Amino acid sequence: MLDLRVPSGFFFTLLGVILIGWSYWRPDAHAPLTDVNVNLYSGIAMLIFGLFLLVMARRAAGRSR
């Protein structure tokens, strides 16, 4: 059975990479009423979370063998 952390980890990792790329490609695109680059910070958070899920899924698969 597929561990749910694997597809979720891939999804969040891919989305984080897309948001980080978008923040560098369009640095002037920011949230209204703020000068903070929300795409960059949310992309970094999603990338870290996605990689964390993938690492946890890999550790769980290694223990079950």
Side-chain angles (χ1 to χ4, degrees):
M1 178 170 239
L2 181 66
D3 190 3
L4 190 57
R5 290 175 284 205
V6 174
S8 299
F10 281 130
F11 173 74
F12 280 108
T13 301
L14 179 65
L15 194 58
V17 168
I18 289 171
L19 283 175
I20 291 171
W22 183 258
S23 69
Y24 282 118
W25 187 47
R26 296 280 314 262
D28 58 333
H30 53 80
L33 303 177
T34 184
D35 292 330
V36 176
N37 194 346
V38 178
N39 289 336
L40 177 64
Y41 295 125
S42 61
I44 290 171
M46 286 184 192
L47 179 66
I48 291 170
F49 181 65
L51 291 175
F52 175 73
L53 286 176
L54 290 174
V55 167
M56 290 293 111
R58 185 170 176 96
R59 286 182 63 195
R63 270 191 244 158
S64 66
R65 291 183 181 174

Tab-separated table of all heavy atoms in Angstrom:
chain	number	residue	atom	x	y	z
A	1	MET	N	0.844	-1.173	0.000
A	1	MET	CA	0.000	0.000	0.000
A	1	MET	C	0.898	1.247	0.000
A	1	MET	O	1.898	1.298	0.696
A	1	MET	CB	-0.903	-0.022	1.212
A	1	MET	CG	-1.795	1.174	1.323
A	1	MET	SD	-3.035	0.979	2.589
A	1	MET	CE	-4.468	1.171	1.594
A	2	LEU	N	0.508	2.237	-0.761
A	2	LEU	CA	1.286	3.463	-0.896
A	2	LEU	C	1.114	4.347	0.330
A	2	LEU	O	-0.007	4.570	0.802
A	2	LEU	CB	0.834	4.221	-2.152
A	2	LEU	CG	1.572	5.509	-2.458
A	2	LEU	CD1	3.023	5.198	-2.804
A	2	LEU	CD2	0.917	6.232	-3.600
A	3	ASP	N	2.210	4.818	0.848
A	3	ASP	CA	2.191	5.731	1.981
A	3	ASP	C	1.708	7.098	1.495
A	3	ASP	O	2.185	7.614	0.480
A	3	ASP	CB	3.598	5.824	2.568
A	3	ASP	CG	3.645	6.561	3.884
A	3	ASP	OD1	2.588	6.971	4.388
A	3	ASP	OD2	4.754	6.715	4.412
A	4	LEU	N	0.771	7.690	2.189
A	4	LEU	CA	0.190	8.964	1.773
A	4	LEU	C	1.208	10.104	1.821
A	4	LEU	O	1.034	11.120	1.143
A	4	LEU	CB	-1.011	9.287	2.660
A	4	LEU	CG	-1.888	10.453	2.249
A	4	LEU	CD1	-2.418	10.232	0.844
A	4	LEU	CD2	-3.031	10.623	3.213
A	5	ARG	N	2.286	9.932	2.553
A	5	ARG	CA	3.308	10.976	2.631
A	5	ARG	C	4.071	11.134	1.325
A	5	ARG	O	4.588	12.216	1.043
A	5	ARG	CB	4.287	10.672	3.760
A	5	ARG	CG	3.673	10.828	5.136
A	5	ARG	CD	4.639	10.410	6.182
A	5	ARG	NE	4.705	8.949	6.215
A	5	ARG	CZ	5.068	8.252	7.270
A	5	ARG	NH1	5.425	8.863	8.370
A	5	ARG	NH2	5.100	6.935	7.237
A	6	VAL	N	4.130	10.082	0.512
A	6	VAL	CA	4.894	10.147	-0.742
A	6	VAL	C	4.239	11.095	-1.754
A	6	VAL	O	4.873	12.055	-2.207
A	6	VAL	CB	5.111	8.742	-1.332
A	6	VAL	CG1	5.775	8.827	-2.691
A	6	VAL	CG2	5.937	7.897	-0.391
A	7	PRO	N	2.966	10.900	-2.140
A	7	PRO	CA	2.384	11.848	-3.101
A	7	PRO	C	2.225	13.253	-2.522
A	7	PRO	O	2.385	14.247	-3.239
A	7	PRO	CB	1.034	11.240	-3.469
A	7	PRO	CG	0.753	10.217	-2.463
A	7	PRO	CD	2.047	9.800	-1.857
A	8	SER	N	1.925	13.338	-1.223
A	8	SER	CA	1.820	14.660	-0.602
A	8	SER	C	3.170	15.360	-0.588
A	8	SER	O	3.256	16.570	-0.826
A	8	SER	CB	1.296	14.534	0.831
A	8	SER	OG	0.025	13.967	0.853
A	9	GLY	N	4.218	14.608	-0.302
A	9	GLY	CA	5.563	15.179	-0.307
A	9	GLY	C	5.961	15.667	-1.686
A	9	GLY	O	6.531	16.752	-1.828
A	10	PHE	N	5.658	14.862	-2.726
A	10	PHE	CA	5.954	15.302	-4.089
A	10	PHE	C	5.152	16.543	-4.463
A	10	PHE	O	5.663	17.459	-5.098
A	10	PHE	CB	5.670	14.188	-5.097
A	10	PHE	CG	6.752	13.151	-5.162
A	10	PHE	CD1	6.444	11.811	-5.070
A	10	PHE	CD2	8.084	13.513	-5.309
A	10	PHE	CE1	7.434	10.845	-5.124
A	10	PHE	CE2	9.086	12.567	-5.366
A	10	PHE	CZ	8.756	11.229	-5.271
A	11	PHE	N	3.888	16.588	-4.052
A	11	PHE	CA	3.043	17.739	-4.365
A	11	PHE	C	3.585	19.010	-3.726
A	11	PHE	O	3.731	20.039	-4.395
A	11	PHE	CB	1.608	17.484	-3.898
A	11	PHE	CG	0.713	18.680	-4.027
A	11	PHE	CD1	0.265	19.084	-5.271
A	11	PHE	CD2	0.327	19.398	-2.917
A	11	PHE	CE1	-0.548	20.199	-5.404
A	11	PHE	CE2	-0.486	20.506	-3.031
A	11	PHE	CZ	-0.928	20.903	-4.280
A	12	PHE	N	3.867	18.966	-2.417
A	12	PHE	CA	4.349	20.163	-1.737
A	12	PHE	C	5.744	20.568	-2.216
A	12	PHE	O	6.052	21.766	-2.311
A	12	PHE	CB	4.335	19.964	-0.219
A	12	PHE	CG	2.980	20.144	0.383
A	12	PHE	CD1	2.267	19.052	0.844
A	12	PHE	CD2	2.408	21.390	0.496
A	12	PHE	CE1	1.017	19.197	1.402
A	12	PHE	CE2	1.152	21.555	1.044
A	12	PHE	CZ	0.449	20.451	1.497
A	13	THR	N	6.586	19.590	-2.534
A	13	THR	CA	7.911	19.914	-3.055
A	13	THR	C	7.810	20.592	-4.409
A	13	THR	O	8.460	21.619	-4.650
A	13	THR	CB	8.762	18.636	-3.161
A	13	THR	OG1	8.856	18.043	-1.861
A	13	THR	CG2	10.147	18.946	-3.667
A	14	LEU	N	6.987	20.049	-5.291
A	14	LEU	CA	6.807	20.649	-6.612
A	14	LEU	C	6.202	22.042	-6.510
A	14	LEU	O	6.660	22.985	-7.170
A	14	LEU	CB	5.925	19.751	-7.478
A	14	LEU	CG	5.622	20.262	-8.875
A	14	LEU	CD1	6.904	20.327	-9.707
A	14	LEU	CD2	4.597	19.388	-9.547
A	15	LEU	N	5.188	22.201	-5.679
A	15	LEU	CA	4.561	23.503	-5.505
A	15	LEU	C	5.531	24.521	-4.908
A	15	LEU	O	5.551	25.689	-5.309
A	15	LEU	CB	3.323	23.374	-4.626
A	15	LEU	CG	2.365	24.540	-4.609
A	15	LEU	CD1	1.860	24.851	-6.010
A	15	LEU	CD2	1.202	24.244	-3.701
A	16	GLY	N	6.366	24.076	-3.973
A	16	GLY	CA	7.365	24.970	-3.388
A	16	GLY	C	8.385	25.425	-4.416
A	16	GLY	O	8.758	26.598	-4.459
A	17	VAL	N	8.836	24.505	-5.264
A	17	VAL	CA	9.800	24.868	-6.313
A	17	VAL	C	9.170	25.843	-7.301
A	17	VAL	O	9.808	26.815	-7.726
A	17	VAL	CB	10.317	23.594	-7.021
A	17	VAL	CG1	11.078	23.936	-8.283
A	17	VAL	CG2	11.179	22.784	-6.080
A	18	ILE	N	7.914	25.613	-7.654
A	18	ILE	CA	7.222	26.516	-8.578
A	18	ILE	C	7.098	27.908	-7.967
A	18	ILE	O	7.359	28.919	-8.631
A	18	ILE	CB	5.840	25.953	-8.961
A	18	ILE	CG1	6.009	24.736	-9.865
A	18	ILE	CG2	4.975	27.015	-9.635
A	18	ILE	CD1	4.733	23.973	-10.120
A	19	LEU	N	6.714	27.988	-6.705
A	19	LEU	CA	6.564	29.296	-6.062
A	19	LEU	C	7.894	30.013	-5.896
A	19	LEU	O	7.975	31.236	-6.064
A	19	LEU	CB	5.875	29.144	-4.706
A	19	LEU	CG	4.370	28.926	-4.749
A	19	LEU	CD1	3.845	28.661	-3.356
A	19	LEU	CD2	3.675	30.116	-5.362
A	20	ILE	N	8.945	29.289	-5.564
A	20	ILE	CA	10.267	29.917	-5.448
A	20	ILE	C	10.718	30.421	-6.812
A	20	ILE	O	11.235	31.539	-6.929
A	20	ILE	CB	11.276	28.930	-4.840
A	20	ILE	CG1	10.947	28.677	-3.372
A	20	ILE	CG2	12.702	29.456	-4.971
A	20	ILE	CD1	11.737	27.559	-2.747
A	21	GLY	N	10.525	29.608	-7.846
A	21	GLY	CA	10.873	30.048	-9.202
A	21	GLY	C	10.071	31.266	-9.625
A	21	GLY	O	10.603	32.193	-10.240
A	22	TRP	N	8.794	31.270	-9.295
A	22	TRP	CA	7.936	32.400	-9.660
A	22	TRP	C	8.371	33.669	-8.931
A	22	TRP	O	8.328	34.761	-9.497
A	22	TRP	CB	6.484	32.080	-9.329
A	22	TRP	CG	5.533	33.148	-9.743
A	22	TRP	CD1	4.958	34.083	-8.949
A	22	TRP	CD2	5.070	33.411	-11.072
A	22	TRP	NE1	4.164	34.895	-9.689
A	22	TRP	CE2	4.214	34.514	-10.996
A	22	TRP	CE3	5.299	32.822	-12.301
A	22	TRP	CZ2	3.583	35.032	-12.109
A	22	TRP	CZ3	4.666	33.339	-13.403
A	22	TRP	CH2	3.826	34.425	-13.302
A	23	SER	N	8.816	33.523	-7.690
A	23	SER	CA	9.227	34.708	-6.932
A	23	SER	C	10.512	35.312	-7.488
A	23	SER	O	10.727	36.520	-7.371
A	23	SER	CB	9.400	34.363	-5.457
A	23	SER	OG	10.521	33.529	-5.278
A	24	TYR	N	11.373	34.479	-8.093
A	24	TYR	CA	12.579	35.025	-8.714
A	24	TYR	C	12.307	35.536	-10.122
A	24	TYR	O	12.942	36.481	-10.576
A	24	TYR	CB	13.688	33.977	-8.753
A	24	TYR	CG	14.360	33.806	-7.425
A	24	TYR	CD1	14.316	32.600	-6.754
A	24	TYR	CD2	15.034	34.865	-6.825
A	24	TYR	CE1	14.915	32.440	-5.528
A	24	TYR	CE2	15.639	34.724	-5.597
A	24	TYR	CZ	15.579	33.516	-4.956
A	24	TYR	OH	16.183	33.372	-3.734
A	25	TRP	N	11.362	34.897	-10.802
A	25	TRP	CA	11.045	35.316	-12.169
A	25	TRP	C	10.239	36.609	-12.168
A	25	TRP	O	10.427	37.458	-13.027
A	25	TRP	CB	10.266	34.205	-12.868
A	25	TRP	CG	10.033	34.434	-14.319
A	25	TRP	CD1	10.933	34.835	-15.239
A	25	TRP	CD2	8.803	34.278	-15.013
A	25	TRP	NE1	10.343	34.925	-16.470
A	25	TRP	CE2	9.035	34.586	-16.352
A	25	TRP	CE3	7.530	33.882	-14.616
A	25	TRP	CZ2	8.028	34.529	-17.308
A	25	TRP	CZ3	6.543	33.818	-15.566
A	25	TRP	CH2	6.803	34.147	-16.896
A	26	ARG	N	9.341	36.769	-11.197
A	26	ARG	CA	8.517	37.966	-11.069
A	26	ARG	C	8.644	38.545	-9.661
A	26	ARG	O	7.752	38.404	-8.836
A	26	ARG	CB	7.047	37.621	-11.325
A	26	ARG	CG	6.685	37.146	-12.691
A	26	ARG	CD	6.528	38.272	-13.696
A	26	ARG	NE	5.749	39.380	-13.201
A	26	ARG	CZ	4.454	39.569	-13.454
A	26	ARG	NH1	3.797	38.725	-14.191
A	26	ARG	NH2	3.831	40.621	-12.976
A	27	PRO	N	9.761	39.193	-9.333
A	27	PRO	CA	9.930	39.715	-7.972
A	27	PRO	C	8.982	40.873	-7.645
A	27	PRO	O	8.751	41.177	-6.479
A	27	PRO	CB	11.389	40.174	-7.940
A	27	PRO	CG	11.756	40.404	-9.356
A	27	PRO	CD	10.919	39.459	-10.175
A	28	ASP	N	8.420	41.511	-8.671
A	28	ASP	CA	7.500	42.617	-8.426
A	28	ASP	C	6.089	42.150	-8.089
A	28	ASP	O	5.270	42.940	-7.638
A	28	ASP	CB	7.460	43.544	-9.631
A	28	ASP	CG	7.057	42.821	-10.902
A	28	ASP	OD1	7.302	41.599	-10.987
A	28	ASP	OD2	6.503	43.471	-11.800
A	29	ALA	N	5.790	40.864	-8.293
A	29	ALA	CA	4.465	40.330	-7.975
A	29	ALA	C	4.416	39.997	-6.491
A	29	ALA	O	4.996	39.027	-6.044
A	29	ALA	CB	4.181	39.093	-8.814
A	30	HIS	N	3.750	40.820	-5.738
A	30	HIS	CA	3.629	40.584	-4.307
A	30	HIS	C	2.184	40.782	-3.886
A	30	HIS	O	1.357	41.281	-4.642
A	30	HIS	CB	4.566	41.494	-3.501
A	30	HIS	CG	4.424	42.948	-3.815
A	30	HIS	ND1	3.422	43.711	-3.295
A	30	HIS	CD2	5.157	43.759	-4.603
A	30	HIS	CE1	3.554	44.956	-3.753
A	30	HIS	NE2	4.596	44.999	-4.556
A	31	ALA	N	1.876	40.377	-2.678
A	31	ALA	CA	0.514	40.467	-2.174
A	31	ALA	C	0.110	41.930	-2.018
A	31	ALA	O	0.951	42.779	-1.699
A	31	ALA	CB	0.408	39.749	-0.838
A	32	PRO	N	-1.164	42.218	-2.250
A	32	PRO	CA	-1.616	43.598	-2.046
A	32	PRO	C	-1.433	44.030	-0.587
A	32	PRO	O	-1.503	43.215	0.327
A	32	PRO	CB	-3.097	43.546	-2.391
A	32	PRO	CG	-3.298	42.300	-3.163
A	32	PRO	CD	-2.228	41.363	-2.739
A	33	LEU	N	-1.170	45.274	-0.402
A	33	LEU	CA	-1.009	45.905	0.908
A	33	LEU	C	0.241	45.458	1.659
A	33	LEU	O	0.349	45.650	2.868
A	33	LEU	CB	-2.240	45.665	1.798
A	33	LEU	CG	-3.584	46.137	1.216
A	33	LEU	CD1	-4.712	45.762	2.159
A	33	LEU	CD2	-3.560	47.637	0.980
A	34	THR	N	1.188	44.833	0.964
A	34	THR	CA	2.442	44.450	1.610
A	34	THR	C	3.565	44.465	0.580
A	34	THR	O	3.330	44.305	-0.607
A	34	THR	CB	2.346	43.066	2.273
A	34	THR	OG1	3.562	42.807	2.941
A	34	THR	CG2	2.083	41.986	1.267
A	35	ASP	N	4.759	44.676	1.062
A	35	ASP	CA	5.933	44.637	0.184
A	35	ASP	C	6.696	43.334	0.339
A	35	ASP	O	7.755	43.164	-0.246
A	35	ASP	CB	6.861	45.814	0.496
A	35	ASP	CG	6.239	47.146	0.100
A	35	ASP	OD1	5.447	47.152	-0.860
A	35	ASP	OD2	6.547	48.153	0.743
A	36	VAL	N	6.168	42.415	1.139
A	36	VAL	CA	6.819	41.134	1.389
A	36	VAL	C	6.563	40.203	0.213
A	36	VAL	O	5.460	40.140	-0.318
A	36	VAL	CB	6.275	40.511	2.695
A	36	VAL	CG1	6.870	39.148	2.929
A	36	VAL	CG2	6.548	41.433	3.864
A	37	ASN	N	7.592	39.488	-0.206
A	37	ASN	CA	7.461	38.521	-1.289
A	37	ASN	C	6.880	37.224	-0.709
A	37	ASN	O	7.612	36.320	-0.304
A	37	ASN	CB	8.821	38.279	-1.945
A	37	ASN	CG	8.707	37.569	-3.251
A	37	ASN	OD1	7.666	37.021	-3.590
A	37	ASN	ND2	9.784	37.581	-4.012
A	38	VAL	N	5.565	37.145	-0.678
A	38	VAL	CA	4.876	36.022	-0.055
A	38	VAL	C	5.141	34.732	-0.813
A	38	VAL	O	5.232	33.659	-0.213
A	38	VAL	CB	3.360	36.314	0.042
A	38	VAL	CG1	2.609	35.147	0.648
A	38	VAL	CG2	3.115	37.573	0.839
A	39	ASN	N	5.291	34.810	-2.123
A	39	ASN	CA	5.565	33.608	-2.916
A	39	ASN	C	6.870	32.948	-2.492
A	39	ASN	O	6.949	31.722	-2.403
A	39	ASN	CB	5.632	33.949	-4.403
A	39	ASN	CG	4.291	34.289	-4.976
A	39	ASN	OD1	3.270	33.883	-4.451
A	39	ASN	ND2	4.295	35.028	-6.066
A	40	LEU	N	7.880	33.746	-2.216
A	40	LEU	CA	9.172	33.200	-1.809
A	40	LEU	C	9.072	32.500	-0.467
A	40	LEU	O	9.503	31.362	-0.306
A	40	LEU	CB	10.229	34.302	-1.755
A	40	LEU	CG	11.613	33.875	-1.279
A	40	LEU	CD1	12.220	32.872	-2.251
A	40	LEU	CD2	12.508	35.084	-1.105
A	41	TYR	N	8.479	33.160	0.521
A	41	TYR	CA	8.417	32.592	1.863
A	41	TYR	C	7.489	31.384	1.927
A	41	TYR	O	7.804	30.393	2.583
A	41	TYR	CB	8.000	33.648	2.880
A	41	TYR	CG	9.030	34.750	3.006
A	41	TYR	CD1	8.692	36.081	2.837
A	41	TYR	CD2	10.352	34.437	3.271
A	41	TYR	CE1	9.638	37.072	2.946
A	41	TYR	CE2	11.312	35.425	3.379
A	41	TYR	CZ	10.951	36.743	3.211
A	41	TYR	OH	11.888	37.721	3.315
A	42	SER	N	6.359	31.443	1.267
A	42	SER	CA	5.470	30.278	1.276
A	42	SER	C	6.072	29.138	0.455
A	42	SER	O	5.891	27.961	0.786
A	42	SER	CB	4.081	30.646	0.764
A	42	SER	OG	4.152	31.112	-0.564
A	43	GLY	N	6.803	29.458	-0.616
A	43	GLY	CA	7.476	28.425	-1.401
A	43	GLY	C	8.552	27.719	-0.602
A	43	GLY	O	8.685	26.494	-0.682
A	44	ILE	N	9.311	28.462	0.166
A	44	ILE	CA	10.345	27.854	1.015
A	44	ILE	C	9.703	26.958	2.064
A	44	ILE	O	10.164	25.833	2.298
A	44	ILE	CB	11.218	28.945	1.668
A	44	ILE	CG1	12.088	29.624	0.610
A	44	ILE	CG2	12.073	28.365	2.779
A	44	ILE	CD1	12.823	30.846	1.110
A	45	ALA	N	8.611	27.425	2.677
A	45	ALA	CA	7.927	26.613	3.685
A	45	ALA	C	7.367	25.329	3.073
A	45	ALA	O	7.482	24.246	3.662
A	45	ALA	CB	6.818	27.423	4.338
A	46	MET	N	6.764	25.432	1.891
A	46	MET	CA	6.211	24.246	1.241
A	46	MET	C	7.300	23.278	0.799
A	46	MET	O	7.133	22.058	0.892
A	46	MET	CB	5.355	24.648	0.046
A	46	MET	CG	4.043	25.239	0.419
A	46	MET	SD	3.062	25.558	-1.035
A	46	MET	CE	1.784	26.559	-0.331
A	47	LEU	N	8.419	23.814	0.339
A	47	LEU	CA	9.534	22.958	-0.059
A	47	LEU	C	10.089	22.192	1.140
A	47	LEU	O	10.314	20.981	1.069
A	47	LEU	CB	10.632	23.802	-0.711
A	47	LEU	CG	11.879	23.059	-1.169
A	47	LEU	CD1	11.537	22.116	-2.316
A	47	LEU	CD2	12.947	24.038	-1.601
A	48	ILE	N	10.276	22.864	2.250
A	48	ILE	CA	10.777	22.209	3.455
A	48	ILE	C	9.786	21.156	3.945
A	48	ILE	O	10.168	20.037	4.297
A	48	ILE	CB	11.082	23.255	4.549
A	48	ILE	CG1	12.290	24.097	4.140
A	48	ILE	CG2	11.308	22.595	5.905
A	48	ILE	CD1	12.533	25.294	5.023
A	49	PHE	N	8.500	21.486	3.934
A	49	PHE	CA	7.483	20.542	4.383
A	49	PHE	C	7.409	19.324	3.464
A	49	PHE	O	7.311	18.192	3.934
A	49	PHE	CB	6.123	21.241	4.465
A	49	PHE	CG	5.015	20.345	4.934
A	49	PHE	CD1	5.027	19.830	6.213
A	49	PHE	CD2	3.964	20.028	4.094
A	49	PHE	CE1	4.002	19.004	6.652
A	49	PHE	CE2	2.938	19.205	4.522
A	49	PHE	CZ	2.957	18.696	5.813
A	50	GLY	N	7.474	19.554	2.157
A	50	GLY	CA	7.443	18.444	1.210
A	50	GLY	C	8.640	17.530	1.354
A	50	GLY	O	8.503	16.299	1.338
A	51	LEU	N	9.820	18.104	1.516
A	51	LEU	CA	11.017	17.284	1.721
A	51	LEU	C	10.949	16.527	3.044
A	51	LEU	O	11.384	15.380	3.132
A	51	LEU	CB	12.262	18.163	1.660
A	51	LEU	CG	12.590	18.740	0.279
A	51	LEU	CD1	13.772	19.697	0.373
A	51	LEU	CD2	12.848	17.638	-0.725
A	52	PHE	N	10.386	17.156	4.057
A	52	PHE	CA	10.215	16.483	5.347
A	52	PHE	C	9.294	15.266	5.199
A	52	PHE	O	9.578	14.198	5.737
A	52	PHE	CB	9.643	17.464	6.372
A	52	PHE	CG	9.313	16.839	7.688
A	52	PHE	CD1	10.312	16.461	8.561
A	52	PHE	CD2	7.992	16.641	8.068
A	52	PHE	CE1	10.009	15.880	9.779
A	52	PHE	CE2	7.677	16.058	9.267
A	52	PHE	CZ	8.689	15.681	10.139
A	53	LEU	N	8.194	15.424	4.466
A	53	LEU	CA	7.288	14.298	4.250
A	53	LEU	C	7.983	13.168	3.499
A	53	LEU	O	7.803	11.987	3.825
A	53	LEU	CB	6.047	14.750	3.481
A	53	LEU	CG	5.022	15.577	4.235
A	53	LEU	CD1	3.904	16.020	3.301
A	53	LEU	CD2	4.456	14.809	5.396
A	54	LEU	N	8.769	13.508	2.490
A	54	LEU	CA	9.472	12.481	1.726
A	54	LEU	C	10.515	11.757	2.573
A	54	LEU	O	10.672	10.537	2.470
A	54	LEU	CB	10.119	13.102	0.487
A	54	LEU	CG	9.150	13.571	-0.600
A	54	LEU	CD1	9.906	14.308	-1.699
A	54	LEU	CD2	8.377	12.393	-1.168
A	55	VAL	N	11.212	12.486	3.418
A	55	VAL	CA	12.201	11.860	4.298
A	55	VAL	C	11.509	10.936	5.297
A	55	VAL	O	11.972	9.816	5.546
A	55	VAL	CB	13.046	12.941	5.017
A	55	VAL	CG1	13.848	12.342	6.161
A	55	VAL	CG2	13.958	13.627	4.029
A	56	MET	N	10.388	11.369	5.852
A	56	MET	CA	9.668	10.532	6.817
A	56	MET	C	9.111	9.276	6.145
A	56	MET	O	9.117	8.196	6.741
A	56	MET	CB	8.531	11.321	7.475
A	56	MET	CG	8.990	12.401	8.413
A	56	MET	SD	9.801	11.715	9.865
A	56	MET	CE	11.467	12.218	9.596
A	57	ALA	N	8.643	9.396	4.923
A	57	ALA	CA	8.137	8.225	4.202
A	57	ALA	C	9.266	7.254	3.897
A	57	ALA	O	9.096	6.036	3.996
A	57	ALA	CB	7.450	8.665	2.915
A	58	ARG	N	10.425	7.787	3.552
A	58	ARG	CA	11.562	6.905	3.258
A	58	ARG	C	12.046	6.192	4.517
A	58	ARG	O	12.396	5.020	4.482
A	58	ARG	CB	12.684	7.716	2.634
A	58	ARG	CG	13.850	6.888	2.184
A	58	ARG	CD	14.805	7.716	1.358
A	58	ARG	NE	15.968	6.966	1.000
A	58	ARG	CZ	16.112	6.333	-0.145
A	58	ARG	NH1	15.143	6.383	-1.029
A	58	ARG	NH2	17.211	5.668	-0.415
A	59	ARG	N	12.064	6.913	5.634
A	59	ARG	CA	12.469	6.274	6.894
A	59	ARG	C	11.492	5.180	7.305
A	59	ARG	O	11.895	4.147	7.814
A	59	ARG	CB	12.566	7.331	8.000
A	59	ARG	CG	13.787	8.216	7.857
A	59	ARG	CD	13.878	9.212	8.976
A	59	ARG	NE	14.038	8.498	10.245
A	59	ARG	CZ	13.863	9.063	11.415
A	59	ARG	NH1	13.504	10.327	11.500
A	59	ARG	NH2	14.032	8.367	12.528
A	60	ALA	N	10.192	5.423	7.099
A	60	ALA	CA	9.180	4.427	7.459
A	60	ALA	C	9.289	3.207	6.553
A	60	ALA	O	9.098	2.074	7.004
A	60	ALA	CB	7.795	5.033	7.359
A	61	ALA	N	9.626	3.405	5.272
A	61	ALA	CA	9.771	2.284	4.349
A	61	ALA	C	11.008	1.472	4.699
A	61	ALA	O	11.016	0.251	4.536
A	61	ALA	CB	9.858	2.794	2.920
A	62	GLY	N	12.046	2.112	5.180
A	62	GLY	CA	13.265	1.406	5.558
A	62	GLY	C	13.085	0.559	6.802
A	62	GLY	O	13.691	-0.483	6.957
A	63	ARG	N	12.228	1.007	7.706
A	63	ARG	CA	11.986	0.266	8.942
A	63	ARG	C	11.078	-0.933	8.731
A	63	ARG	O	11.131	-1.890	9.473
A	63	ARG	CB	11.336	1.185	9.978
A	63	ARG	CG	12.352	1.872	10.822
A	63	ARG	CD	11.688	2.547	11.966
A	63	ARG	NE	11.931	3.965	11.774
A	63	ARG	CZ	11.208	4.921	12.284
A	63	ARG	NH1	10.148	4.645	12.989
A	63	ARG	NH2	11.499	6.168	12.078
A	64	SER	N	10.204	-0.868	7.736
A	64	SER	CA	9.242	-1.950	7.539
A	64	SER	C	9.862	-3.165	6.854
A	64	SER	O	9.256	-4.216	6.809
A	64	SER	CB	8.051	-1.446	6.733
A	64	SER	OG	8.453	-1.109	5.422
A	65	ARG	N	11.027	-3.016	6.292
A	65	ARG	CA	11.674	-4.137	5.587
A	65	ARG	C	12.326	-5.081	6.517
A	65	ARG	O	12.768	-5.073	7.491
A	65	ARG	CB	12.702	-3.620	4.589
A	65	ARG	CG	12.010	-2.929	3.453
A	65	ARG	CD	13.033	-2.494	2.459
A	65	ARG	NE	12.339	-1.807	1.380
A	65	ARG	CZ	12.938	-1.205	0.412
A	65	ARG	NH1	14.239	-1.196	0.343
A	65	ARG	NH2	12.273	-0.613	-0.528
